[in-house]
Structures are given as structure tokens and as C-alpha cells.
Amino acid sequence: MTDQTTDAAMLWTAPGWQADTGFQVDVAGRVLEREATEPTASTEWIVPGIPNLHSHAFQRAMAGMAERQTNAEDSFWTWRETMYRIAARFDPETLHAVAAQLYVEMLEAGYTTVCEFHYLHHAPDGTAYDDRAAMSHALIAAARETGIRLTLLPVLYMSGGFDGRDLSERQRRFGHGVDTYLELLDTLRAEEDDRLRIGCALHSLRAVPADAMREVLSTLPAGTPRHIHIAEQVGEVQDCLALRDARPVEWLLSHADVDAHWTLVHATHLNGGEVQGIANSGATVAICPTTEANLGDGLFPLKAYLDAGGALGIGSDAQSSVSPIEELRWLEYGQRLVTHHRNIAVQAASSSVGETLLRRTLASGANATGQPVGKLSPGHCADWLVLDTDAAQFAGMTTIDAIDRWIFSGNRNLVRDVYVGGKQVVSEGRHHDRDAIAVQYRKAIQILLAK
Ligand SMILES: [Zn+2]
């Protein structure tokens, strides 16, 4: 194999569109500086692949199955009971099949890297599988089969609440002690490669006692991505205030060295000091607007956070939507609905909402995933999307409005081709293995629903 050259009529870079350019890709799937060549005849508009900062793959199997009212007080906490029922039915084979289907859908939608926040570790009764990493291996196999770049975040989950109570019966398969958790990280780190990075996730402050958090963090190699669910629910903020005398983000900022390697998932409920504190720390906030809407979580203070200079990305989380377009749209729309204004997410660099949100999303990728993704610059991962510029939504487009049209016009998928590590995985909107993977997915769903 030799280096390959990709030409672009337009290439999206951090400052904006660049005309008649391109890049080379080395055999390892990284971008090389382009050698000077004649202007090309390419008609392709190329955008770096989108990082998905938060995913629970198994939840793809229950999307759309928790939308009937069970009582008038339905909330995140009643949804969680449904989620636990589904979670209890998985084994490594069904997890592999569901994750592969999900990753095909992600790639076709334009996500090229996924951060998998993985807590389904053991058999349903809590006993470890013979291969203690069997469920992690199922996710790794699904990523390799589909070609998506994976940052696997095995989750430390130890207690059922801030008071340190034991895990409930349904939570038992999620649990680890510190020692077995660190062994799992060691096992998995030995399997890292060009497309697989192992990070660390603390499920939440309510599920990880303070001393265990300190012990795990003290062992992590420098640069390891660290993710945590931080302030998704008002009830969680109240419990933290009652038992730790601080709000979750406040507590974390004063008890851990939170820096650019941290990703705070669902930093939904924040006061002004917390907004500034996260922004100053360099941590990334992972917002999952369609999941947060689906679960009735609340609305992230986007404008204040952007004004404070905070880093931000998106995640598909519970998979009720697998579309970066829909996440970015709702990130903005939520703000419009409560402020009664339009075009909220803009910054000095651009008056375009789409460009502002895309820039932030791409810029979050490298720190949150621990992999050099999010831009097509030398040394970075050669992960890119080719937009379907023949689509009606793009008729007469210019560099001024192309990104906004991509994000804010209709529901036809405007991602035509997708490449990860320089290898094409989606052509004309279809993943190369879509049909065979869908067959396995249908079989897995039959098994899961029959249990
Ligand atoms: Zn989550």
C-alpha cells in the first residue's frame, strides 16, 4: 500500500471552507501534508468526521419502546426501570449484534468515532464471564467489523446512591471493586490499536465513592480520557447537596484535578459558578440533546457556557436519535424555545449557528476521545465525510450557507460517503456491510424480546 491522495473542491477547516485543496493519507490512516499539485477538478465538499462523545450501545435495542405512559409521574427514574429490564437480557452475542447495527447507523449518519460508556460488564446475576472482558470484547468486535473508531470507556459502578448503598439486583451486572476494575482496564489497554483507545469512566458521583474515585484516578496513565455522568437530574443535584454539601460539578471541581482530559456528560443543571468553573478547567461537556429531551432531563445553559469559552461536544446516548444533525439542531432549538429568540449559538468567529456548533463539536473530539480526530491536518486521523451536494437541499449553495443548510434543512441524510482511517466504509449513503449486519440485528432483537 502507498499513500493516497484525496482532492476536495471545498474542505472544511477550523477557520472555514478552503477551496481546491486536499490531503494525503499514509498507510496508517493518518493525514499527511499535501504535496503541491495542480488545482484539481474535484467537485467534493469534505468535512471531518463527527465525534460521538457518549453512547450506550445496548440501548439501541429499546429505542421507541419506552414511550407509553406507565404513570402520570413518568420520568428518567421510571424510564430507568425499563432500561434495567432490557439490560438484564443481553449476553456478549446479542450485544455484538446490536452494537454493530448501531455503528452502521452512526457511520451512515456521519459519526466516525464513538465513545462507548460501557457498564454492562457481567452476566445478569452479577457473576463475571469466564472472559471477564467478554462484553467489552463484543463492543470492540462490533467496532472492528463496521470500521468505526472506538474509544471504549469501561465504567466503574460501585454503589446505588450517594449514601453508599449496595447495588440493587438489577444493577449487579454493572458492578466492580476498584481492583477488578483496574484489572479490566489493564486487559483492555493491551488491545489498543490505531482505531481503539481505552479510557476510564466513572458512572456518576452517586455510583462511585470518593475514596474509590481518588484511587482509580491516581493510577491512570497521563492523557487517559476520563468521562463521568455529572448533573443529569435535579434529584441527583439535591442528593449531592444533602450528602456531600456541594452541587455535583462544584464537588468534582474541588475534589479532582479536572482538566482537558475530562468529559462531563449531561452537565445539564449548572449554576453560574459551575459554568465558569468547567470552562476554566478545559474539560469538555458532552450534551445529548435528543436523549435529554426524551428523558425530560432539562436544558443545558448553552449561551452562558459558550460565552464563558467552554468546550462542548454531542452524543447519541440512549439512541432515540442516531444523527449528529438532529443533536446540533436541538442544541440550538432548545434555547430558541425558552428565550423566544433566534440564532443563539454564535460567537465572534462566525454569525452562523451551524458553523459555530460544528466547530465546537469537531474541536471537542481529540480531548474527549483521546484520539487525534476532528480535523484533517497532518498527523490527525483521516476520518472524513463527503456531502451529497447533488441533493435538493444544497441547490445553489455557497460557502456562506453550506453548513447551515446541512444542519437546518429537511431530514434527508446529506452524508454521501464516509471514510475512517482513510478507508471508505459508506458509499452513496450505504455502509458496505449494512444488509448482513441488519440480519444479525433482527435475530438478536428476536432473542432479546423473547426473554
Ligand atoms: Zn449516559
Side-chain angles (χ1 to χ4, degrees), residues 233-254:
Q233 289 296 315
V234 172
E236 184 177 22
V237 176
Q238 288 166 341
D239 287 352
C240 191
L241 271 166
L243 283 138
R244 295 197 188 174
D245 206 23
R247 299 165 56 84
V249 170
E250 260 175 1
W251 189 91
L252 185 71
L253 290 173
S254 58

Side-chain angles (χ1 to χ4, degrees), residues 14 28 42 89 96-97 106 122 148 153 170 175 187 198 219 231 254 289 297 300 401 417 422:
S42 170
R89 300 174 186 178
H96 176 170
M106 284 186 189
H122 310 304
I148 201 165
L153 303 159
R170 282 185 171 151
T187 303
I198 305 298
T219 69
S254 58
D297 289 346
F300 171 69
D401 61 14
D417 303 328

